[in-house]
Amino acid sequence: MDIPVPPSSLPSSAHEVAIPAYWTRSPSELGAALATSLQDGLTTAEAEKRVRRFGPNSLSDESRGGMLADFARQFKSPLVLVLVFAALVAGGVGEVHDAIIIGIIILASCFLGFLQEHGAQRAVEALRQRISLTSKVRRDGADKVVAANSIVPGDLIQLSAGSLVPVDAVVIVAQDLNVSEATLTGETFPVAKAPGVSAKDAGLADRSNCVFTGTSVRSGTATALAIATGPHTEFARIASAVARQIPETEFARGVRHFGFLMTRIILCIVVVVLVANLLLHRPIVDSLLFSLALAVGLTPELLPAIISVTLARGARTMSKSGVIVRRLDAMENLGSMDVLCTDKTGTLTEGVIRLDSCVDPQGGVSPEVRRLALLNSAFQSGMKNPLDDAVTATIAAGEVSSDARKLAEIPYDFSRKRLSVIVSGKNGPPLLICKGAATNVIDVCATVMTEGRELALDDYVRKQ
């Protein structure tokens, strides 16, 4: 039975973790501590209060400082700073027209870069809004689909195969739950989760009663109690630990070095000219004005504008192919590549499996293998995968007898690496059809059908 706890017992600050070492406590204790019902969940009104108290369920917002900060960042280039100095000098010696012209060039160059980068940022934010994550939670005694950033400690999360876990939570009820934690632990194979408690010193990989933000459900279903959200999750802690500044591109480094070189050259020439004029007994004021005017003349006023225009044109060309360039100086790095290495995913390919043929162990086309593959893929009720979709989409449903029916199923798990379906028809005994990793299937086979004959699967035949 849940013991109601007044909401005032909850942390009042968005920077406080709801319950420390929560993986060591039972679901009933956690439900009482979070003032939530393990049957009906929170009420909508209470959830809204907790959003204001704990903050949205998202990583700490990396504020960019707004439009002014974006515009001010354009002035960080040494070349721009040299031009700013030249404009100040020109204005100081009375060359107001030169100062205005240089100022216009500076503003035009910086404004062009600002427009491109700010527009790219807005496009990225729009994409994030379109792919915003939603989750199923139980509120007011009913299951509802809500935005993931509105989930709060005390919510009951409903998880199923394919779900992304939106919060750090404790499993209350689970059935064949396997979760992929590769993003946190690097472990390739999914981990089984079940209700219970874990040791206080248990690491992430050993907390078998917890699910974490950023992981995904590979199989099974579960109800979990949300404990930590937003910046208090394990994912956020790891993200903050590895957070770093965006590395400077080679192009930006080259421009910076060139700017410093120009600054040193201009300072050296100005000093040399000033000293030479003084040695020639020229008036000190005239000598100083002449040196400053020389500094303005040596400054490449149009170079920053030319760079910005060129990179912006490249960014526009990329946008026509659906590529968003967030930083203009990244364009030069992209253009300097000779070889681009990347993993093979659906972003570069169609990400679709197509069935080419069904063959027997000798590589010959086999109608029987085709029939068994369709029966297994059509009747299995676990999480569908691209292979099943390819089989059912390619093979006509009419190839399967209408009297075939499913009797039972042994779901896929990551230790057996196999999925089996038992099918029966009017004629013949029930048939168990198994699919899975080739080596795992062969290991449990005793015979093999080849050229219409059944052969014993000895070591020699296994190797073949």
Side-chain angles (χ1 to χ4, degrees), residues 110-320:
C110 293
F111 188 69
L112 182 61
F114 163 75
L115 283 181
Q116 172 62 34
E117 294 187 8
H118 188 69
Q121 179 63 24
R122 291 182 60 185
V124 171
E125 292 299 330
L127 286 175
R128 287 177 178 171
Q129 292 294 329
R130 291 180 62 182
I131 61 174
S132 58
L133 180 65
T134 59
S135 298
K136 182 184 290 186
V137 302
R138 186 176 302 160
R139 288 182 181 171
D140 302 314
D143 291 343
K144 301 179 179 180
V145 176
V146 301
N149 60 10
S150 67
I151 297 176
V152 295
D155 264 324
L156 293 181
I157 313 300
Q158 306 298 316
L159 301 174
S160 59
S163 297
L164 293 178
V165 181
V167 294
D168 288 0
V170 168
V171 177
I172 299 175
V173 180
Q175 181 177 2
D176 300 326
L177 181 64
N178 287 276
V179 178
S180 174
E181 296 183 341
T183 53
L184 296 180
T185 64
E187 175 61 40
T188 304
F189 297 108
V191 180
K193 299 289 185 178
V197 295
S198 300
K200 187 173 183 179
D201 58 351
L204 288 180
D206 298 322
R207 299 177 194 172
S208 59
N209 63 327
C210 299
V211 291
F212 304 101
T213 303
T215 60
S216 59
V217 179
R218 296 296 298 273
S219 63
T221 59
T223 299
L225 176 62
I227 304 294
T229 61
H232 311 302
T233 61
E234 298 294 341
F235 186 86
R237 291 193 182 99
I238 294 175
S240 62
V242 300
R244 59 186 177 88
Q245 293 290 332
I246 299 176
E248 187 178 33
T249 65
E250 288 296 328
F251 178 72
R253 187 179 297 111
V255 171
R256 178 168 56 83
H257 289 167
F258 177 74
F260 289 148
L261 175 64
M262 289 298 302
T263 301
R264 290 193 293 269
I265 291 175
I266 290 172
L267 288 177
C268 289
I269 292 178
V270 168
V271 170
V272 169
V273 171
L274 178 61
V275 171
N277 276 276
L278 293 177
L279 291 177
L280 293 174
H281 305 291
R282 301 285 176 83
I284 185 171
V285 176
D286 292 342
S287 299
L288 179 61
L289 292 177
F290 177 73
S291 300
L292 294 176
L294 184 62
V296 174
L298 292 173
T299 305
E301 288 89 350
L302 286 177
L303 184 56
I306 293 173
I307 293 175
S308 296
V309 170
T310 304
L311 295 181
R313 183 177 180 182
R316 286 196 300 271
T317 302
M318 296 288 288
S319 67
K320 294 177 181 178

Side-chain angles (χ1 to χ4, degrees), residues 5-8 10-14 34-35 42-57 139 149-155 229:
V5 176
S8 59
L10 292 174
S12 59
S13 169
L34 289 170
L42 297 173
T43 64
T44 301
E46 178 62 23
E48 292 174 352
K49 291 180 182 178
R50 295 190 185 190
V51 169
R52 293 190 293 269
R53 180 181 300 173
F54 291 97
N57 177 36
R139 288 182 181 171
N149 60 10
S150 67
I151 297 176
V152 295
D155 264 324
T229 61

Side-chain angles (χ1 to χ4, degrees), residues 315-331:
R316 286 196 300 271
T317 302
M318 296 288 288
S319 67
K320 294 177 181 178
S321 300
V323 178
I324 298 175
V325 180
R326 293 184 61 181
R327 295 291 181 92
L328 286 180
D329 51 14
M331 288 295 302

Side-chain angles (χ1 to χ4, degrees), residues 345-369:
T345 66
T347 56
L348 296 182
T349 62
E350 292 184 38
V352 176
I353 295 178
R354 290 189 178 88
L355 179 63
D356 182 64
S357 62
C358 299
V359 299
D360 58 22
Q362 284 67 46
V365 176
S366 172
E368 180 63 10
V369 172

